[in-house]
Amino acid sequence: AVSYDPLFQVCVSGTQDNGTQRQTSPGQLLWQVINNSDGGDVAVDTTTSPGFSIVYVSYQGFGGFARLTYSSPVNLVSSHNPSLSVINGGAPLQGQYVTPVNLNAINAQRLVIAGANGVYESFDQGETITEIGPGVQGFHRLVYGGWFAGVANPDVLYVPTASGQVFVRTNANGILTNTPMAFPGLNPVDIAILRTNWRT
């Protein structure tokens, strides 16, 4: 997995056998290991704390899930392991070998995690999570939050699955359901929406 830090203009990458790494400066071929083992999915938030970059990392099986805060490409200010406490009932999160983590496009303090046993949503950077898709095993990249006709919708969520289905939720009180039409190709491994129209 790879994600871009637009504040410090560096990339962060989860790599198999070589951990999670971060570029030491823009365009630099030298990278710094910031988490060990098999690097998992990565996500970068540069809006919650102006002037700082918040990086989410994990390793295989969703081990070592951490929220790292940087004040420069290499200066780590803090490291925290969110508690991932399940609220509102639901089963404890079980990690996949590579567990997708996606930040909300509208509010980066919100994130979704696609576990092996379901999809979970957090409104507080992973401290507490709610099971919103029991049994839905998200695959690779999800879409979380979008715009339509200039109006932000932080609750829209698309989840491609390894079984070839695409699940969607369009409002805060909605549940993840199959899209009206079956996905026409092979199993989807990635998904994207138009920035100005989350319906496309």
Side-chain angles (χ1 to χ4, degrees):
V2 66
S3 191
Y4 182 66
D5 180 341
L7 177 62
F8 298 117
Q9 301 176 10
V10 294
C11 290
V12 182
S13 179
T15 59
Q16 187 164 3
D17 296 331
N18 293 293
T20 302
Q21 304 174 32
R22 182 175 168 91
Q23 276 182 301
T24 55
S25 63
Q28 178 59 256
L29 297 180
L30 182 64
W31 294 60
Q32 179 185 57
V33 176
I34 61 175
N35 203 22
N36 58 14
S37 300
D38 289 317
D41 204 1
V42 291
V44 178
D45 167 15
T46 58
T47 61
T48 297
S49 298
F52 295 90
S53 172
I54 300 171
V55 181
Y56 292 88
V57 299
S58 65
Y59 51 76
Q60 70 271 16
F62 206 48
F65 178 59
R67 188 172 68 231
L68 312 176
T69 303
Y70 287 86
S71 62
S72 77
V74 295
N75 187 39
L76 178 64
V77 176
S78 67
S79 175
H80 175 70
N81 297 101
S83 59
L84 298 170
S85 299
V86 179
I87 59 175
N88 302 322
L93 170 67
Q94 298 173 13
Q96 301 187 60
Y97 187 80
V98 176
T99 303
V101 176
N102 290 83
L103 302 183
N104 191 281
I106 312 298
N107 178 358
Q109 292 188 47
R110 296 175 58 167
L111 55 94
V112 290
I113 304 167
N117 61 326
V119 177
Y120 292 77
E121 183 173 34
S122 175
F123 291 86
D124 55 9
Q125 299 178 300
E127 296 303 328
T128 60
I129 56 176
T130 301
E131 187 179 29
I132 60 170
V136 177
Q137 188 176 13
F139 194 55
H140 290 285
R141 187 59 53 186
L142 287 63
V143 168
Y144 186 34
W147 288 262
F148 179 74
V151 177
N153 182 351
D155 299 305
V156 67
L157 174 63
Y158 287 92
V159 180
T161 68
S163 61
Q165 300 167 292
V166 176
F167 287 82
V168 64
R169 181 191 70 183
T170 60
N171 58 66
N173 298 317
I175 59 173
L176 281 174
T177 57
N178 278 319
T179 48
M181 296 180 63
F183 185 70
L186 299 174
N187 293 347
V189 296
D190 205 345
I191 191 166
I193 58 173
L194 290 181
R195 181 168 175 82
T196 56
N197 182 359
W198 59 258
R199 298 179 182 179
T200 304

